[in-house]
Amino acid sequence: MPASSAGAAPPSGTSAGVPLTGKARGDIVQAQERAGRGGAASAPRGKVIAELGFGFWRFLLARQYKTSLWPDLAGAFPHAPNRALATVENPVKQLHQFRNRIAHHEGIWHLRLEGRRDDLQTMLGFIAPAAATWVADASRIDDVLACRP
């Protein structure tokens, strides 16, 4: 049985009590394999985390984890109003869909790109308001959007 199958042992370095889907566990195994390229017996945890894709993190915010993971994950968004899962999940879901459109070379010219900029700013604000302010002040996205046909 593959390591990513439901009911399989959790990937090394993870907790058996974490209710991750088989897909999520498989993503962790793949990240561990990518992080370990270079001959190390076990990759540093930070390197494994860096190898996890946006989709992995996006789906940790899925409603199926509302009572299991969300109470702990909510702490990663200390400035989110009401600390509700949907408050954080919705902009992340929009950004994930947007990123996938770009990754698959789909057109985005007809989309309301200001909305994705706002989603990004919102998420930064939930995590670190000072960083959100810095990005807003340093970003050229408004200038670029103003020049589009």
Side-chain angles (χ1 to χ4, degrees):
M1 183 179 286
S4 62
S5 297
S12 64
T14 64
S15 169
V18 177
L20 296 176
T21 64
K23 166 84 170 89
R25 290 190 187 282
D27 289 347
I28 294 169
V29 169
Q30 288 179 338
Q32 289 171 324
E33 290 169 357
R34 284 191 303 267
R37 289 184 190 148
S42 67
R45 186 172 286 176
K47 194 168 182 183
V48 174
I49 289 170
E51 289 291 339
L52 290 165
F54 187 29
F56 174 85
W57 298 106
R58 179 265 179 266
F59 286 106
L60 283 186
L61 300 176
R63 289 186 176 98
Q64 73 190 52
Y65 297 125
K66 184 175 184 174
T67 59
S68 56
L69 291 178
W70 178 248
D72 293 317
L73 292 175
F77 307 96
H79 303 283
N82 73 21
R83 303 283 285 265
L85 174 59
T87 301
V88 175
E89 180 190 19
N90 290 334
V92 171
K93 185 188 301 184
Q94 293 296 318
L95 288 167
H96 184 249
Q97 290 171 345
F98 181 60
R99 182 261 208 197
N100 282 350
R101 289 188 72 100
I102 293 169
H104 293 280
H105 306 285
E106 296 178 30
I108 60 168
W109 58 88
H110 62 285
L111 299 177
R112 195 176 89 68
L113 299 176
E114 294 83 359
R116 301 303 67 82
R117 177 214 47 220
D118 294 347
D119 290 335
L120 183 59
Q121 284 297 128
T122 295
M123 290 309 302
L124 283 171
F126 290 169
I127 299 166
T133 299
W134 180 83
V135 168
D137 291 345
S139 175
R140 293 183 43 236
I141 192 67
D142 291 329
D143 296 334
V144 171
L145 290 174
C147 292
R148 74 178 180 174

